[in-house]
Amino acid sequence: MGARAVGCLWWGTVSCTLFLVVNSLYSASDDVIELTPTNFNKEVIQSENLWLVEFYAPWCGHCQRLTPEWKKAATALKGVVKVGAVDADKHQSLGGQYGVRGFPTIKIFGANKNKAEDYQGGRTSDAIVDAALSALRSLVKDRLSGRSGGYSSGKQSRESGGGDKRDVIELTDDSFDKNVINSDDVWMVEFYAPWCGHCKNLEPEWAAAATEVKEQTKGKVKLAAVDATVNQMLASRYGIRGFPTIKIFQKGEDPVDYDGGRTRSDIVSRALDLFSDNAPPPELLEIISEDVLKNTCDAHQLCIISVLPHILDTGASGRNSYLDVMLKMAEKYKKKMWGWLWTEAGAQSDLESSLGIGGFGYPAMAAVNARKMKFALLKGSFSEQGINEFLRELSVGRGSTAPVAGGAFPKIHSVEPWDGKDGELPVEDDIDLSDVDLDDWDKDEL
């Protein structure tokens, strides 16, 4: 109540009356479902639906700005994903139950309703809908593969042969050194005991993380498990005293304990950090054929395309300075695993037009989502600072986008790759004027 009282004293009685209006950010006419301690368990916990739930405070400015976007997302997702809201200022016990410390906090309640995930995406309706559909797709795929919803139920044993063990590599005293110690990959290894309750709780999270990490790192970070009650040599070697214990193994380094959270998102986040720390920066490729563009953009969530000035305008040193900026940004954002491409102004004019670049203002940059065929243009300077601000906004789901003209990439011309040298003007044919008598010309014709 403190924030509201100060507001009333500062603005006076009339403003106080207006302030009270925001106590209800949502109404019965909205597609956002109001949740309270009375109906939360029945509506959310006992439901088989996927839920996105916002925990808000009516006086919170960020919550007020999110409200129209949250309503739009709820309407778009109606009948597909449930979208709810909890006044956590009024229902503090419900907010406390889910560790809400700030506003707004958004949680995703998937198949395992007892382990809600934090939503970390953008605050636009498009970003919210994308996250909801991604979570829904994962839930459906897991059901299709035989798992109990988004993750395993946690009641299966590791020996049950369920789909959960698919991407978790089981290691033994005999197989450990060959697979882990001599590997160039990063390994996260869980040492468990079948009777351990905490291990059973971790199992579905570990399995779900293993699948996601395998996909996002292309197998460069592996999640494994060791039954320490059976493989006692390994347990003794690594001083395992409690369960579960998770250790990280990297070639040439001593193993270190993993001390992060035990949810899928926590595990995936740490795995991606390990991957980015060890991965080389992405390749920066010149668009010399249709295959280069298609393969790069199809394989990545975003492809960053730069159109650099003609070589005659910059010379080799100028072009290399632009490429260096791109390489530094590719290194900085390598954890995002985006694709990085460039082309010379005029070499792919149809592509430029489709991205709204159109023949001037070089160098230019566009970030393209090939799946949605949408793009965003760099509006600031083509510098480390300008590009960093542009990409940072993109990474949190902000920034304006536009559809790629025609809804697809245009024809890409096959061109010779840049040879790394300065450009040369084309050689013109010499004109022989020896037979021309300029004195005979009629001056009126000049």
Side-chain angles (χ1 to χ4, degrees):
M1 293 296 295
R4 287 194 290 275
V6 170
C8 292
L9 289 172
W10 181 258
W11 292 107
T13 305
V14 174
S15 292
C16 182
T17 303
L18 295 174
F19 195 85
L20 291 175
V21 174
V22 302
N23 277 343
S24 178
L25 297 186
Y26 303 100
S27 67
S29 62
D30 298 324
D31 292 313
V32 177
I33 301 168
E34 289 259 32
L35 298 168
T36 68
T38 304
N39 68 359
F40 194 89
N41 189 62
K42 180 180 178 181
E43 291 283 352
V44 180
I45 302 303
Q46 296 179 14
S47 168
E48 292 186 354
N49 294 310
L50 179 76
W51 277 82
L52 267 65
V53 179
E54 174 202 3
F55 293 82
Y56 71 92
W59 45 261
C60 161
H62 293 298
C63 303
Q64 293 165 18
R65 286 190 288 275
L66 174 63
T67 298
E69 299 297 318
W70 197 246
K71 289 180 180 180
K72 284 169 63 178
T75 300
L77 293 167
K78 188 174 182 179
V80 180
V81 173
K82 298 280 190 179
V83 178
V86 174
D87 182 344
D89 188 47
K90 182 178 180 181
H91 305 297
Q92 294 183 11
S93 62
L94 194 52
Q97 183 178 339
Y98 292 100
V100 175
R101 297 288 181 268
F103 304 114
T105 292
I106 299 172
K107 301 266 185 185
I108 301 174
F109 292 81
N112 188 347
K113 296 295 193 296
N114 295 318
K115 292 186 179 295
E117 293 182 45
D118 288 328
Y119 169 77
Q120 303 287 0
R123 300 294 173 87
T124 65
S125 56
D126 282 346
I128 294 163
V129 168
D130 284 347
L133 295 179
S134 177
L136 183 63
R137 183 172 180 270
S138 295
L139 186 150
V140 172
K141 285 180 67 178
D142 288 337
R143 287 179 180 173
L144 188 63
S145 65
R147 285 181 249 183
S148 303
Y151 314 120
S152 74
S153 65
K155 297 178 182 177
Q156 287 177 281
S157 71
R158 296 180 188 266
E159 293 74 30
S160 65
D164 294 343
K165 68 184 291 185
R166 177 179 53 185
D167 295 315
V168 176
I169 301 169
E170 289 281 348
L171 297 169
T172 66
D173 287 336
D174 294 330
S175 66
F176 189 89
D177 285 1
K178 178 181 178 182
N179 282 283
V180 179
I181 303 302
N182 299 320
S183 173
D184 291 326
D185 299 328
V186 178
W187 287 75
M188 299 177 71
V189 181
E190 174 205 359
F191 294 83
Y192 72 94
W195 45 260
C196 162
H198 292 300
C199 302
K200 293 175 182 177
N201 291 336
L202 175 63
E203 179 189 350
E205 305 295 323
W206 194 248
T211 298
E212 186 169 344
V213 169
K214 179 181 178 181
E215 292 174 354
Q216 294 206 39
T217 69
K218 295 180 172 56
K220 293 298 184 182
V221 179
K222 294 178 167 60
L223 269 63
V226 173
D227 183 344
T229 65
V230 173
N231 301 285
Q232 296 183 8
M233 287 176 58
L234 283 174
S236 175
R237 186 202 298 185
Y238 294 110
I240 306 303
R241 296 290 181 266
F243 306 111
T245 293
I246 300 172
K247 289 187 176 286
I248 298 169
F249 294 83
Q250 301 181 75
K251 190 172 184 178
E253 299 181 16
D254 292 333
V256 296
D257 289 332
Y258 167 79
D259 54 6
R262 299 295 176 85
T263 67
R264 177 198 61 81
S265 59
D266 291 328
I267 298 162
V268 169
S269 177
R270 183 71 175 101
L272 293 182
D273 283 340
L274 290 166
F275 174 70
S276 63
D277 289 343
N278 290 274
E283 286 187 284
L284 175 55
L285 302 175
E286 183 180 3
I287 304 174
I288 58 173
S289 68
E290 187 167 342
D291 285 345
V292 172
L293 177 69
K294 188 176 188 318
N295 292 342
T296 301
C297 291
D298 286 352
H300 300 87
Q301 179 190 16
L302 289 180
C303 52
I304 313 299
I305 300 175
S306 291
V307 183
L308 304 182
H310 195 281
I311 191 64
L312 292 177
D313 294 328
T314 63
S317 62
R319 174 167 292 179
N320 282 325
S321 68
Y322 289 131
L323 294 176
D324 285 343
V325 170
M326 289 193 70
L327 287 169
K328 287 178 181 177
M329 291 297 100
E331 170 70 30
K332 182 178 181 68
Y333 286 90
K334 68 179 180 179
K335 184 179 176 182
K336 299 294 184 183
M337 289 175 282
W338 295 335
W340 296 78
L341 299 167
W342 72 277
T343 184
E344 180 178 79
Q348 305 294 347
S349 55
D350 293 338
L351 178 63
E352 291 183 42
S353 297
S354 72
L355 299 178
I357 294 171
F360 63 91
Y362 304 115
M365 176 179 284
V368 184
N369 183 322
R371 179 172 59 86
K372 297 181 179 180
M373 277 297 155
K374 289 186 175 182
F375 70 93
L377 281 178
L378 169 69
K379 300 293 178 62
S381 64
F382 197 98
S383 63
E384 289 183 46
Q385 181 179 351
I387 295 172
N388 183 50
E389 291 176 358
F390 171 59
L391 298 180
R392 187 172 57 204
E393 290 291 299
L394 288 178
S395 67
V396 295
R398 297 176 186 161
S400 60
T401 61
V404 174
F409 285 129
K411 177 179 175 56
I412 299 299
H413 303 286
S414 295
V415 297
E416 290 296 319
W418 179 45
D419 60 8
K421 300 177 181 178
D422 288 323
E424 295 181 0
L425 289 170
V427 178
E428 296 182 359
D429 293 335
D430 292 332
I431 301 175
D432 186 3
L433 299 177
S434 60
D435 295 332
V436 178
D437 189 351
L438 297 178
D439 292 336
D440 291 340
W441 282 17
D442 188 337
K443 293 182 179 180
D444 291 337
E445 293 180 358
L446 294 179

